[in-house]
Amino acid sequence: MVSSAVLAGGGTAGHVNPLLAVADELRERDPDVAITVLGTANGLESELVPARGYPLRHVPRVPMPRRPSAEWVSLPGRFKAAVEAAGAVIDESRAQVVVGFGGYVSTPAYVAAHRRGVPIVIHEQNARPGLANRAGARWAARIGVTFPDTPLRGGEVTGLPLRREIAELVRARAVDARAARAAAAQELGLDAGLSTVVVTGGSLGALSLNTAVSGAVGDLLAAGAQVLHLTGKGKGDAVREELGRAVAAGTVPTALVGRYDVREYLGEMHLAYAVADLVVCRSGAGTVSELAALGIPAVYVPLPVGNGEQRLNAAPVVDAGGGLLIDDEQLSSTWVAEQVPALVADPQRLAAMASAAAGAGVRDGAQRVADLVEAAVAEQAGRG
């Protein structure tokens, strides 16, 4: 059993949510386990971690400069301070293991743990691993990966540890998916009896998704669908204006306007997923993993910037038949009008895609990562 663990990760929901899921699983296995979280003072973890009841200790944020600059001069000193801060927490908590999820705070935690001979367990959420986890993997006792082709030697496929709301929805749908859908539809003010398309580009939204889908509003509604379009903060007016133009042009009857629900943000995304028959979205690791775990088909539009990991994230589900993939530059209102209404109007095809997505999904990622943590601690104890 694990009596004390330090978990490192922060900055984004992609790091914090899996961390909290694993922390909850370790606590469920042993309510007396001492869990300390390393994070930054300003990241998302500064709110979410204390709210979940775990102590948060701050480590200085030390991003690696992308190009030569004055920051390189101060980098060694700042990184040394971060390693010392992480090491102090490891010592004070008498941690048996350090579990890292990537991000700025993980690298100093890995270095401090390695110097002390404390076993390291890593979870990498993306198909293409980040710098922190690539560095820490050299010393890791166990490595869990979300996707099977992630290039980390010794990685074991654990899937993504699901955040609490999604894990609860997985269980609710397994018991009675229709009841879960009806309850969510009522809370959102939607019609549980209509085929539902959810459009989301994340909290910031995605202009290309907004433009392409809203431009095909007439075709979507004519196919009998209702649309929950989450535009991203500050991007709702443009979509509402497009809807208004479609009404004025007569391509959308006034009576159907209410079936196209435009919102800038929805904090309770699990409610949207509970009613969704199809999701049009980016393909971040969290989104892909959650939709697959829930067995929801999707049209994935990878973010066109970065190192290409979003395309890799979606590949296993798409290859299994659980989704479609379209490049951002190829996405258009014409493509949406040609592809999405026909899909929504074909319940047998949607059902087959849902089954394929579920087959590619992992619903017990937190348990699998917790197993790796326990195995690393047991192995270390055996050596001692």
Side-chain angles (χ1 to χ4, degrees):
M1 296 293 290
V2 181
S3 61
S4 178
V6 167
L7 276 58
T12 67
H15 296 134
V16 180
N17 285 332
L19 182 155
L20 290 174
V22 173
D24 289 347
E25 175 63 23
L26 291 172
R27 176 177 280 179
E28 185 171 325
R29 295 183 181 196
D30 182 1
D32 295 326
V33 63
I35 293 175
T36 307
V37 178
L38 294 178
T40 64
N42 301 317
L44 190 64
E45 66 274 18
S46 65
E47 299 177 11
L48 297 184
V49 170
R52 193 67 67 87
Y54 297 109
L56 176 67
R57 298 289 298 275
H58 296 151
V59 172
R61 182 176 179 272
V62 187
M64 299 295 290
R66 296 286 181 180
R67 52 180 60 89
S69 69
E71 292 183 352
W72 278 104
V73 177
S74 62
L75 179 63
R78 290 186 293 123
F79 186 74
K80 180 174 181 289
V83 172
E84 290 175 349
V89 175
I90 294 171
D91 292 341
E92 292 168 15
S93 64
R94 303 182 70 178
Q96 295 172 291
V97 62
V98 168
V99 189
F101 296 83
Y104 295 125
V105 301
S106 290
T107 307
Y110 296 151
V111 172
H114 175 65
R115 290 177 178 174
R116 289 161 172 77
V118 174
I120 298 165
V121 175
I122 287 174
H123 182 270
E124 173 56 53
Q125 69 157 350
N126 284 301
R128 183 166 285 165
L131 178 62
N133 282 349
R134 292 203 309 271
R138 296 173 296 169
W139 306 316
R142 295 287 190 281
I143 299 172
V145 297
T146 299
F147 301 106
D149 293 328
T150 303
L152 286 178
R153 183 177 297 177
E156 302 178 41
V157 178
T158 60
L160 186 74
L162 300 175
R163 55 195 172 102
R164 179 180 292 176
E165 297 84 357
I166 299 300
E168 290 174 351
L169 180 57
V170 167
R171 290 190 287 269
R173 284 164 66 97
V175 173
D176 191 338
R178 184 172 297 180
R181 178 189 182 95
Q186 182 176 12
E187 192 161 346
L188 292 171
L190 301 176
D191 187 339
L194 291 175
S195 294
T196 304
V197 178
V198 173
V199 183
T200 175
S203 61
L204 298 179
L207 182 60
S208 58
L209 271 67
N210 291 346
T211 302
V213 175
S214 63
V217 56
D219 299 273
L220 290 166
L221 297 183
Q226 70 181 345
V227 179
L228 175 59
H229 192 146
L230 307 175
T231 66
K233 294 179 179 179
K235 297 183 174 68
D237 287 344
V239 173
R240 295 186 188 97
E241 289 170 4
E242 183 64 33
L243 179 58
R245 284 191 288 269
V247 173
T251 56
V252 173
T254 303
L256 297 184
V257 171
R259 291 205 339 232
Y260 201 98
D261 189 339
V262 181
R263 310 185 191 193
E264 293 197 348
Y265 180 73
L266 179 66
E268 302 82 10
M269 273 303 296
H270 58 287
L271 297 178
Y273 289 162
V275 300
D277 295 287
L278 180 71
V279 177
V280 181
C281 56
R282 293 299 192 196
S283 49
T287 299
V288 173
S289 299
E290 290 178 358
L291 292 176
L294 291 163
I296 301 174
V299 174
Y300 292 111
V301 188
L303 192 68
V305 296
N307 61 8
E309 75 270 9
Q310 287 210 354
R311 170 177 281 274
L312 297 175
N313 292 344
V317 176
V318 171
D319 291 345
L324 304 178
L325 190 144
I326 176 76
D327 288 335
D328 190 82
E329 60 268 24
Q330 295 177 337
L331 183 70
S332 66
S333 295
T334 299
W335 188 93
V336 173
E338 290 175 349
Q339 300 292 329
V340 178
L343 183 54
V344 171
D346 189 344
Q348 290 185 329
R349 185 183 175 197
L350 269 183
M353 291 178 67
S355 178
V362 176
R363 284 159 282 281
D364 62 347
Q367 292 92 324
R368 295 188 189 191
V369 175
D371 287 344
L372 296 184
V373 174
E374 290 185 344
V377 170
E379 185 177 85
Q380 183 80 352
R383 290 175 181 162

